[in-house]
């Protein structure tokens, strides 16, 4: 399987074999990500980090991944202080940075930006989120977390929160369907998973059920993946409060939960997971954030040709 | 076309006859071809004409042949259309349009936040599928268009 020089744009282009190879590589990277082993795998390589909108965790985990492998990072910095403020197109920015670095991580508010960047770049583009489009490295780190903390085969998972607009849950569902997962969708009526996606998942062999309360599913699943419900999606603040409080995990709700239950969240959270849950054996979200590092290390090492599988 | 219809619309000496256009789409075909601005010859339009498979529209354009991009656009709104090239009052070529599997610079993405709708130096690109119905999927943002395709033609 050749990853060298490949762009990482969307999960739709990943086969199960490809995902498995990336997750296995990430596992090998974990001691280095934890600082227990040193590595010079990417010494002499430069990663350009172009974030046209803020995303602290994604940016920092990419930077950590590069530094942990001995590489260097070139940061675009503030968009306001760059040529973009003068009206430079993304295509031109990419063509310029292409000459400075060995790979580019791109975060952009417009959907399709990473695809466009790939057309103008001779070096690998790693999509770190394009508007409401794709965020493949988030999906890969979610899968990695599930693999490490639960199991990917025969998984029963509940996805809760904003399932209509949440791109992380859309991509994750598609990827999980490759593993034949049983998926329970928990959301308020207004924020249900689009029908088109449910139908795609069923066609791909996933078993999908819908419900609107966490209590219905929490004792039945291996993993519950919470997402933030965005206040601005609700024209009436009272409606938001009603829904936000209904979809909340509290320590009380976990009284009868199986010890194996794992709770994930892409973070940042607002109030959908009570801080009292943090100390329980179920909380997995901070580990999930850490797992972004070995997964991104694996991707960087693969697309830069430092590792071949 | 039968004799009765020929009486309604005069035969042309040279040009193109686009036949079997889905009823109601003839004016969109004219829009695709930039008519009247792009053609100085006579253009005849037949709406709701009876055909073998129900009613259809027909467009006849004098002294004008179509390019590939125009034919691709027509195929998206009239997948059963036939293009007849007329030379010296005779049909010198007759071909059915083919729905392309990919179109570039033909349709505008419906997603206002798609990068192809910004000032970037790219043309719109769509994968075309006909599984259940005609569906165009934007190569950049992945958003699909399946209805009112004529409305989004560039």
């Amino acid at each position: 399987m050749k990853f060298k020089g490949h762009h990482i744009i969307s999960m739709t282009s990943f086969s199960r074999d490809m995902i498995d190879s990336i997750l296995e590589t990430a596992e090998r990277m974990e001691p280095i990500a934890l600082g227990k082993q040193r590595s010079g795998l990417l010494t002499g390589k430069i990663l350009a980090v172009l974030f046209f909108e803020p995303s602290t965790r994604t940016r920092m985990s990419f930077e950590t991944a590069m530094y942990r492998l001995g590489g260097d990072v070139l940061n675009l910095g503030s968009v306001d202080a760059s040529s973009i403020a003068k009206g430079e197109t993304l295509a031109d920015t990419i063509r310029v940075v292409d000459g400075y670095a060995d790979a580019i991580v791109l975060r952009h508010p417009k959907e399709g930006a990473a695809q466009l960047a790939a057309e103008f770049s001779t070096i690998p583009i790693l999509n770190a989120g394009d508007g409401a489009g794709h965020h493949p490295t988030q999906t890969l780190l979610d899968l990695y977390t599930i693999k490490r903390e639960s199991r990917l085969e025969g998984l029963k998972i509940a996805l809760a929160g904003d399932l209509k607009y949440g791109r992380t849950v859309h991509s994750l569902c598609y990827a999980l369907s490759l593993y034949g997962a049983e998926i329970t969708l928990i959301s308020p009526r207004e924020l249900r998973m689009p029908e088109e996606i449910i139908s795609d998942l069923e066609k791909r062999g996933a078993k999908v059920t819908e419900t609107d309360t966490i209590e219905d599913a929490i004792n039945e699943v291996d993993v519950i993946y919470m997402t933030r419900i965005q206040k601005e999606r609700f024209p009436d603040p009272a409606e938001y409060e009603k829904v936000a409080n209904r979809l909340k995990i509290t320590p009380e709700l976990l009284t009868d939960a199986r010890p194996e239950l794992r709770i994930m969240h892409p973070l940042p959270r607002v109030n959908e997971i009570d801080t009292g849950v943090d100390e329980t054996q179920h909380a997995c979200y901070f580990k999930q954030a850490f797992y972004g590092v070995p997964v991104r290390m694996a991707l960087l090492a693969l697309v830069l040709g430092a590792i071949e599988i | 076309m039968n004799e009765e219809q020929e009486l309604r619309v005069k035969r042309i000496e040279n040009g193109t006859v686009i036949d079997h256009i889905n009823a109601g789409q003839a004016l969109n075909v004219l829009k695709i071809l930039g008519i009247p601005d792009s053609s100085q010859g006579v253009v005849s339009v037949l709406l709701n004409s009876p055909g073998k498979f129900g009613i259809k529209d027909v467009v006849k354009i004098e002294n004008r042949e179509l390019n590939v991009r125009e034919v691709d656009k027509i195929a998206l709104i009239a997948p059963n259309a036939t293009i007849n090239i007329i030379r010296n009052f005779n049909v010198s070529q007759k071909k059915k349009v083919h729905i392309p599997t990919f179109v570039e610079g033909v349709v505008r993405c419906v997603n206002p936040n798609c990068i192809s709708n910004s000032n970037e130096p790219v043309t719109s690109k769509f994968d075309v599928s006909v599984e259940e119905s005609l569906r165009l999927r934007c190569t950049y943002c992945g958003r699909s268009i399946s209805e009112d395709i004529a409305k989004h033609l560039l």
Side-chain angles (χ1 to χ4, degrees):
Chain A
M1 207 169 301
K2 279 210 132 207
F3 279 98
K4 188 180 176 182
H6 272 222
H7 303 294
I8 308 292
I9 305 294
S10 147
M11 282 308 294
T12 54
S13 58
F14 284 82
S15 66
R16 183 173 158 164
D17 279 351
M18 289 167 87
I19 295 171
D20 286 339
S21 300
I22 293 165
L23 302 189
E24 279 158 26
T25 309
E27 215 157 344
R28 286 162 53 199
M29 294 287 175
E30 232 185 271
I32 308 167
L34 286 163
K36 290 179 180 167
Q37 261 180 41
R38 293 180 69 83
S39 170
L41 206 56
L42 295 182
T43 302
K45 299 287 185 190
I46 297 174
L47 176 69
V49 177
L50 310 185
F51 273 47
F52 289 79
E53 63 177 15
S55 174
T56 317
R57 270 177 313 281
T58 305
R59 179 178 56 75
M60 286 179 69
S61 68
F62 263 113
E63 289 176 348
T64 305
M66 198 61 186
Y67 288 132
R68 289 283 198 205
L69 291 175
D72 288 301
V73 174
L74 193 64
N75 202 317
L76 171 77
S78 154
V79 169
D80 296 340
S82 72
S83 297
I84 293 106
K86 297 174 193 161
E88 184 175 70
T89 60
L90 174 64
D92 279 2
T93 305
I94 295 295
R95 282 185 280 200
V96 171
V97 176
D98 183 280
Y100 299 158
D102 299 294
I104 293 173
V105 177
L106 178 71
R107 170 86 165 207
H108 199 279
K110 295 253 177 212
E111 281 120 66
Q115 176 62 37
L116 177 138
E119 289 177 17
F120 289 90
S121 177
T122 62
I123 59 177
I125 298 288
L126 294 108
N127 186 4
D130 56 345
H134 300 279
H135 195 357
T137 63
Q138 175 71 43
T139 303
L140 287 165
L141 82 85
D142 289 341
L143 291 170
Y144 185 70
T145 307
I146 295 168
K147 184 184 177 191
R148 295 284 283 108
E149 300 295 320
S150 183
R151 60 198 169 133
L152 272 170
E153 289 295 339
L155 178 77
K156 288 183 181 177
I157 185 169
L159 304 160
D162 178 358
L163 305 183
K164 185 174 183 183
Y165 300 102
R167 82 183 152 198
T168 53
V169 285
H170 296 172
S171 307
L172 181 59
C173 276
Y174 277 117
L176 285 171
S177 68
L178 295 174
Y179 294 86
E182 277 186 37
I183 301 172
T184 303
L185 304 171
I186 309 170
S187 67
R189 195 171 20 87
E190 302 89 323
L191 297 173
R192 282 210 169 142
M193 181 75 78
E195 277 301 321
E196 198 174 277
I197 296 182
I198 295 179
S199 144
D200 280 352
L201 294 173
E202 285 170 342
K203 273 185 212 157
R204 295 171 69 156
K207 191 180 160 205
V208 183
T209 48
E210 288 184 279
T211 177
D212 56 7
T213 59
I214 292 176
E215 289 85 339
D216 289 345
I218 200 155
N219 296 335
E220 307 293 325
V221 294
D222 304 302
V223 172
I224 181 156
Y225 192 105
M226 289 297 290
T227 61
R228 187 164 50 97
I229 294 180
Q230 297 169 74
K231 208 171 188 172
E232 60 272 23
R233 304 283 185 210
F234 290 79
D236 179 359
E239 283 299 305
Y240 164 76
E241 294 298 337
K242 248 197 283 178
V243 166
N245 288 324
R246 204 170 65 222
L247 290 186
K248 182 172 182 172
I249 300 185
T250 58
E252 294 72 45
L253 204 59
L254 294 167
T255 314
D256 298 324
R258 293 183 302 127
E260 308 85 55
L261 172 72
R262 293 290 171 265
I263 301 166
M264 295 172 62
H265 192 300
L267 302 179
R269 67 174 153 178
V270 182
N271 61 358
E272 54 277 3
I273 301 177
D274 188 286
T275 51
V277 175
D278 299 357
E279 302 309 319
T280 69
Q281 62 192 320
H282 308 291
C284 202
Y285 25 94
F286 294 118
K287 251 185 169 176
Q288 185 184 353
F290 159 73
Y291 285 139
V293 178
V295 166
R296 285 166 177 140
M297 286 167 80
L299 285 169
L300 289 168
L302 287 167
V303 299
L304 288 169
I307 289 181
E308 280 187 16
I309 46 178
Chain B
M1 271 187 288
N2 61 32
E3 219 169 278
E4 187 192 340
Q5 283 170 312
E6 281 183 45
L7 289 174
R8 285 189 197 164
V9 180
K10 206 180 131 202
R11 291 170 69 197
I12 56 175
E13 186 176 354
N14 292 298
T16 304
V17 175
I18 308 165
D19 199 358
H20 302 289
I21 299 169
N22 298 17
Q25 291 293 345
L27 298 180
N28 284 325
V29 168
L30 295 183
K31 202 171 131 194
I32 288 168
L33 301 178
I35 288 170
D37 296 348
S38 72
S39 186
Q40 293 182 337
V42 172
V43 176
S44 319
V45 179
L46 214 60
L47 300 176
N48 296 334
S49 169
K52 217 188 279 180
F53 306 104
I55 55 169
K56 62 178 184 177
D57 291 354
V58 183
V59 169
K60 290 183 170 194
I61 314 149
E62 274 192 328
N63 303 321
R64 167 97 138 74
E65 293 183 12
L66 312 187
N67 63 40
V68 176
R69 182 172 289 193
E70 288 168 334
V71 175
D72 279 354
K73 284 186 182 182
I74 292 169
L76 295 180
I77 60 162
N80 302 316
T82 53
I83 311 277
N84 304 284
I85 308 293
I86 312 294
R87 290 179 189 138
N88 260 336
F89 293 105
N90 290 315
V91 177
S92 75
Q93 271 183 55
K94 178 174 186 156
K95 53 189 176 192
K96 269 184 77 68
V97 296
H98 287 288
I99 298 173
T101 54
F102 179 78
V103 287
E104 187 169 349
V106 164
V107 178
R108 182 184 301 284
C109 183
V110 290
N111 175 4
N113 200 41
C114 177
I115 195 88
S116 69
N117 284 326
S118 59
N119 65 340
E120 297 293 335
V122 288
T123 51
S124 70
K125 298 184 182 77
F126 286 83
D127 290 313
V128 184
S129 67
V130 283
E131 268 174 32
E132 283 158 16
S133 59
L134 189 63
R135 180 182 293 270
L136 278 67
R137 196 175 173 100
C138 175
T139 305
Y140 291 101
C141 74
R143 189 76 72 87
S144 292
I145 309 175
S146 55
E147 285 169 10
D148 286 336
I149 290 169
K151 214 167 80 182
H152 306 292
L153 290 171
L154 284 166

